[in-house]
Each structure stands twice: as structure tokens, then as C-alpha cells.
Amino acid sequence: MSLFRKTTKLSSKKQKSQQNENQNQPESVLLSGHLQDDFQQIKHLFKAAGDFVYREIEITPKYPAVILYLNGIINVERMELHVIQPLLKHEAGLLPPYPTIDHFKALLSAARVTQGETFQEAVDHILSGSTVLLINGFQKAIFISEQAWEQRSIEEPASEAIVLGPREGFTENVTTNISMIRRRLKTPNLKFEMMKVGKLSNTGVVITYLEGIAEPSILEEVRSRIERIEIDAIEDSGYILEFIEDQPFSVFPQILQTERPDRVVGNLLEGRIAIIVDNSPFALIVPVTFFQMMNSPEDYYGRFIMTTFIRFIRYLFLIVALLFPSIYIAVTTFHHELLPTNLIFSVAASREKVPFPAVIEALLMEITFEALREAGLRLPRPIGSTVSIVGALVVGQAAVEAGIVSAPLVIVVATTGIASFMFPSYPLTGAIRLLRFFMIFLAATLGFYGIFLGVFFILVHLVQLRSFGVPYLAPLAPFHFNNVKDLLIRVPWWMMNERPQETGKTNLKRLRYRRRKY
């Protein structure tokens, strides 16, 4: 049985109806070659667009032409220099008595000049920031790329800050993002497949992979899932994410979102596939595993001994972030005998004036902490961190003095909050935050039995979870010994000689290095 999502075939009747619709689509309407007719049709489409600009020129008395573009998204100076001036001031003899469209293209000094023969192609190029040239007597239009989009400069990623490693992150311009990947992988095997998604937005979506390393079946599944998306507009890569996940109702992220080009390149080298969306600084990486979500890009830039230690701390605080409040509730409600006598008396004394049971205490503090966290994110940066820290201290201290919550619970909630900030993947942090409340309710009703039951259900769910057919707990389940070298521990680079079995089996060998003994 295939692990991939099954696709249903269209019936013959539906296929015929779609073919009839396609025949009436604008992309099937060819340019007539009569300048005024073609110009008036395109002008009619942009009749209420205030930024639509056209200029009629005369290349020769026999060949009048018109230039069409949208103001604000093209470089007017370059268009004047590379398009208008060469057409109006061309030297005599450059055009033969019966020129072809290629002769007119040769007059232009722009770097990228293409051509098309349908109205839809002309409209798409105008909307994409190109200049369109229509010449009387020719059933083809010339497209000149002179875009001048306003864009944000390359900055350090805000969501994936590191100490060691590159400092640049993706921007909202897909061309810039592609160039940052290409600069790191100077090989013709690096492929970029362009697609358009969104009936109204025509957003550019780029599938990036390394030919000869990426698994062809996974690549085909990525193409298939993106092609099935039918939506008016794509505003961010998060739109694509929800459409192509294996199990969208799972709290665990099955697609990695990153704004770091070095992280994308590292995953491409392991046989994974990246999806870059125009107007979004976040690239999507598929397929991914749980352990990949727990790894930081910085893990591969420092020495392996320190990286291994940090990973142990990270997994330890994963348990703390998920279970610490529920363990406190279970112990104080059902299992007092697990605590030393002195600690029991200390906790009991702190809870003596508290009118609520432990579960209500925990929920009040957890919800308050979540509210402070969100407030810190939404406020301007200079005051956001101050409000969240000061707010937590003031609210915690006031709640203890008022006898609403106990001091040990404030310590538990604060430690849990700190632990949740240690995960490199923000979507994984959200999953742990949600599951923490689930574990609190189980601990309040069944004690440690509820905690064990909740952990069991979470593990069962993780085992049966897939990301584009790849097991979510790989390489632990199923177990692959060679891939465990980059799991909880990180061995030296010269020992990681194979790619992950699940994504790089097309070309497993990654490096050949024989360490010299000094």
C-alpha cells in the first residue's frame, strides 16, 4: 500500500468539460497582428487600472508599435535606455525590407527579451513587471524584463538566531532567495522548477532539489500536491503548507519552515526538497522528521562535543516543557508519598492559603504566561521583551502575595516557559504548548497513570505520522544505525559519510575521508 496520499482520477465527462473550458480561456486566444485591435483588447482589460501606462511609437512608417507596462513595478530609466531609444534611433540598414520579429528583438539592448503569441502571455508579463511591445503586422508580442520591485534588504533571520554561522536570511523576493541558494551550491544539478499557484495572484512557487540526490518519488508527490491547489491567492508559504501536509489535523508540524538559506542547502544535500514561495521569506522543506525539528543550524558549525551536550539539554527540557506542570499536579494531588518529608511540608505550607486546587492554579498561571508571551510578540520590539519579563515578575509576585497561587507553582510555570524557548522550530514549540494543557487535564484526573497514558498516546501518534511518506520518528523508528550518528549525539563531520536512508537512498555516499593519525 502506498504511503502517499491517493489522487482520484477525473471522470471522462469532467475531463471533456474541462477541455471545453480550456478552449475558452484567454491563453488560447492568439494575437491578431492588427496593432489597434490587439492594443484595444489589452487596454480594455486594464481600463480601471490607474497604473497602466502605454506609449505609441513609430519604429518605421510601416511598423508602428505600442509599449505597455505598469507604472511603479518597472525601471522606467532602464526601459527608456534599453527599449525606447534603440527602437527610435536605430541605424538605417539594421532592419531588412521584410523584417521578422527577431530583427526587432535584436534592436533591443535589454538583458532578457522573450516573445509570446497569446493575450494571456502578454497580460501575465505586464502583471509580472515586464514591458510588452506590440508591433503592427506581427502576431507575436515581445516581452522585456525591466522589473524594479521594492524589496527588503537581506538581514539576519529574526526567528532563527544563532551565535555561529551565516547571518543572512531570505527576503520576500523569490529571485533573491534563489540567488542565495545558487551561491552556495555551484552545480548544474541544482534545479529550480517554476510553478504558478493562485487564480488571481499567480504567485510564483519554486520547487528546489538536487538532481541525482533527491528521491524521484518524493519529488513527483511534491509536484502533484502543489498542482492540486486551487485558490484565489497565495500570500505566504503558510498557505501552501496547509494544503500539502500529510495529516493537517495533527498538532505536530510535518513541514519545516525556515528563513535561513544555509539550512535549506544543508537539507538539499541530504536529499530533501525545498519549496520557495514569492512574497514569503520562509522556505518549506519536505520531508522532515521530529528529530530534524529539534536540531538547530548551529549544531553543524560548532565542535561536535559541545553540540552533543546542547542536544542532551534540549531533549531534557523538551520533557520539562511537556510534563513539568502535570507532574507537579499529579504529585500534589495524588502522589504525596513521592516527595521527601521536608519538601511535602514546604509545599503544603505554601498552598495553605490558596483557595483553588492545583489544577486550577496551574491553568491560571499557564494561561497568564501564554497571554504575556503573545503580548510581548505583538508589541514593538523595544518594549515587547520588557513587558513580558516585568509582567511575569509582577503578576507572579502579586499572585503569590494575594494567595491565589503558591510559590512552587510559579517556579514550575516559569521553568516550563523557559524550557519552551529552547526549541529551534517555532511550530514545534506551539505543539508542545498545546499538549502541555492536555497533559495537565490527564494528571488532574488520573495522576501519574494519566501522564503515562498521555505519553503513550503521543508516542503512538508520532509513530504512525508521516511526512511525504517518510516516518516521522526516523531513523529511530524504523531504526537505521548509520543515521543515528546525527540523532541525540552529533559525531564529527568526517564520520557522517552517508546521507539519511529515508531521503538520500538514491545517492547515499556523502563524503570520503580517511582521518590521518597525528
Side-chain angles (χ1 to χ4, degrees):
M1 179 178 179
S2 175
L3 295 173
F4 296 133
R5 185 183 298 170
K6 295 182 179 179
T7 58
T8 56
K9 294 184 178 180
L10 295 171
S11 62
S12 58
K13 184 177 180 180
K14 188 173 182 180
Q15 288 177 345
K16 290 181 180 179
S17 65
Q18 285 189 348
Q19 290 175 359
N20 294 332
E21 289 179 2
N22 291 336
Q23 291 177 356
N24 298 323
Q25 292 293 326
E27 56 261 24
S28 62
V29 180
L30 300 175
L31 295 168
S32 66
H34 300 286
L35 180 62
Q36 287 303 319
D37 292 343
D38 295 339
F39 171 49
Q40 289 301 325
Q41 287 201 43
I42 296 177
K43 186 179 177 182
H44 177 72
L45 291 174
F46 292 94
K47 61 182 178 181
D51 57 345
F52 177 67
V53 182
Y54 61 89
R55 176 174 175 178
E56 298 182 75
I57 62 174
E58 189 177 88
I59 303 175
T60 67
K62 187 179 179 181
Y63 295 106
V66 63
I67 295 172
L68 313 169
Y69 61 91
L70 292 179
N71 190 29
I73 62 174
I74 74 158
N75 190 315
V76 179
E77 294 181 357
R78 287 199 319 224
M79 192 261 291
E80 291 276 354
L81 179 64
H82 298 305
V83 180
I84 296 179
Q85 290 186 16
L87 290 176
L88 295 180
K89 299 179 180 180
H90 66 280
E91 298 179 4
L94 288 179
L95 288 175
Y98 301 99
T100 64
I101 196 72
D102 292 328
H103 289 103
F104 290 100
K105 287 169 61 178
L107 296 177
L108 305 175
S109 57
R112 184 179 179 185
V113 181
T114 57
Q115 64 185 37
E117 56 186 12
T118 66
F119 281 99
Q120 187 62 45
E121 287 179 292
V123 171
D124 287 344
H125 277 81
I126 292 174
L127 294 172
S128 299
S130 296
T131 301
V132 174
L133 174 64
L134 298 177
I135 305 174
N136 188 46
F138 292 93
Q139 292 181 307
K140 292 182 179 181
I142 297 176
F143 311 130
I144 306 102
S145 296
E146 296 291 355
Q147 291 94 336
W149 306 95
E150 294 294 331
Q151 64 181 26
R152 178 171 59 92
S153 60
I154 298 175
E155 300 171 353
E156 184 176 356
S159 63
E160 297 174 279
I162 61 175
V163 178
L164 302 175
R167 290 289 188 272
E168 61 181 11
F170 287 132
T171 68
E172 286 75 13
N173 187 289
V174 68
T175 306
T176 303
N177 297 342
I178 290 174
S179 68
M180 283 192 281
I181 298 175
R182 177 67 74 181
R183 196 177 68 211
R184 288 171 165 82
L185 290 174
K186 301 177 180 66
T187 170
N189 293 332
L190 178 61
K191 306 298 180 182
F192 297 98
E193 294 187 8
M194 310 288 182
M195 304 176 69
K196 294 289 184 180
V197 181
K199 292 181 290 185
L200 300 180
S201 65
N202 278 323
T203 305
V205 178
V206 181
I207 300 175
T208 309
Y209 62 95
L210 280 171
E211 189 176 43
I213 296 179
E215 185 67 23
S217 58
I218 298 178
L219 178 60
E220 184 58 35
E221 184 66 17
V222 173
R223 292 195 195 104
S224 174
R225 294 189 188 185
I226 294 178
E227 288 172 352
R228 291 202 299 268
I229 299 175
E230 293 185 7
I231 190 174
D232 288 340
I234 298 292
E235 296 186 24
D236 185 77
S237 59
Y239 282 48
I240 301 286
L241 182 148
E242 290 200 357
F243 278 105
I244 64 176
E245 277 187 321
D246 287 58
Q247 296 190 26
F249 293 104
S250 173
V251 297
F252 289 96
Q254 299 133 62
I255 297 174
L256 177 61
Q257 295 173 276
T258 180
E259 54 180 334
R260 298 189 61 89
D262 58 321
R263 195 172 193 182
V264 170
V265 169
N267 282 276
L268 292 178
L269 291 169
E270 291 186 345
R272 296 183 178 89
I273 299 165
I275 302 169
I276 306 172
V277 181
D278 199 10
N279 304 319
S280 174
F282 286 90
L284 307 178
I285 297 175
V286 296
V288 294
T289 64
F290 175 80
F291 302 103
Q292 187 184 355
M293 294 282 184
M294 291 292 293
N295 293 345
S296 169
E298 193 175 8
D299 292 353
Y300 303 97
Y301 301 139
R303 299 188 70 246
F304 70 97
I305 299 175
M306 192 63 192
T307 296
T308 301
F309 171 72
I310 294 297
R311 284 190 180 179
F312 272 103
I313 297 295
R314 202 177 289 154
Y315 281 95
L316 172 63
F317 275 84
L318 169 67
I319 300 172
V320 171
L322 179 63
L323 301 179
F324 201 14
S326 55
I327 290 174
Y328 172 82
I329 294 171
V331 168
T332 56
T333 306
F334 296 101
H335 310 285
H336 309 283
E337 67 279 359
L338 294 178
L339 294 178
T341 305
N342 293 336
L343 186 56
I344 291 177
F345 286 136
S346 177
V347 173
S350 65
R351 297 197 70 254
E352 185 177 359
K353 296 181 181 180
V354 178
F356 306 112
V359 61
I360 301 299
E361 280 187 89
L363 288 176
L364 284 174
M365 289 304 298
E366 284 289 346
I367 293 173
T368 303
F369 192 87
E370 293 293 334
L372 288 171
R373 187 206 306 260
E374 287 300 312
L377 290 175
R378 304 294 170 248
L379 289 171
R381 284 187 181 180
I383 63 174
S385 58
T386 304
V387 168
S388 59
I389 295 172
V390 174
L393 293 174
V394 171
V395 171
Q397 183 65 26
V400 171
E401 291 181 357
I404 299 175
V405 298
S406 60
L409 182 63
V410 174
I411 298 174
V412 169
V413 173
T415 306
T416 304
I418 294 172
S420 64
F421 288 120
M422 295 190 64
F423 309 133
S425 172
Y426 181 77
L428 181 61
T429 303
I432 300 301
R433 287 159 62 185
L434 284 175
L435 290 173
R436 188 188 305 147
F437 287 96
F438 171 67
M439 300 302 297
I440 286 174
F441 284 114
L442 286 177
T445 53
L446 299 174
F448 270 110
Y449 297 105
I451 294 176
F452 293 144
L453 189 64
V455 171
F456 174 77
F457 280 132
I458 292 173
L459 289 177
V460 169
H461 175 68
L462 290 175
V463 167
Q464 58 94 32
L465 200 59
R466 296 288 186 273
S467 174
F468 282 79
V470 173
Y472 200 58
L473 289 184
L476 195 61
F479 184 77
H480 295 294
F481 177 75
N482 285 333
N483 301 144
V484 178
K485 298 175 182 178
D486 192 23
L487 195 64
L488 185 58
I489 64 172
R490 204 272 282 180
V491 298
W493 264 113
W494 43 268
M495 290 182 64
M496 292 193 291
N497 55 355
E498 289 188 0
R499 295 183 175 87
Q501 182 72 27
E502 294 76 18
T503 57
K505 59 184 177 183
T506 303
N507 184 358
L508 276 178
K509 187 62 72 174
R510 173 157 50 186
L511 61 89
R512 291 177 177 85
Y513 177 79
R514 189 171 296 173
R515 186 171 179 272
R516 180 181 175 184
K517 294 183 179 180
Y518 297 99

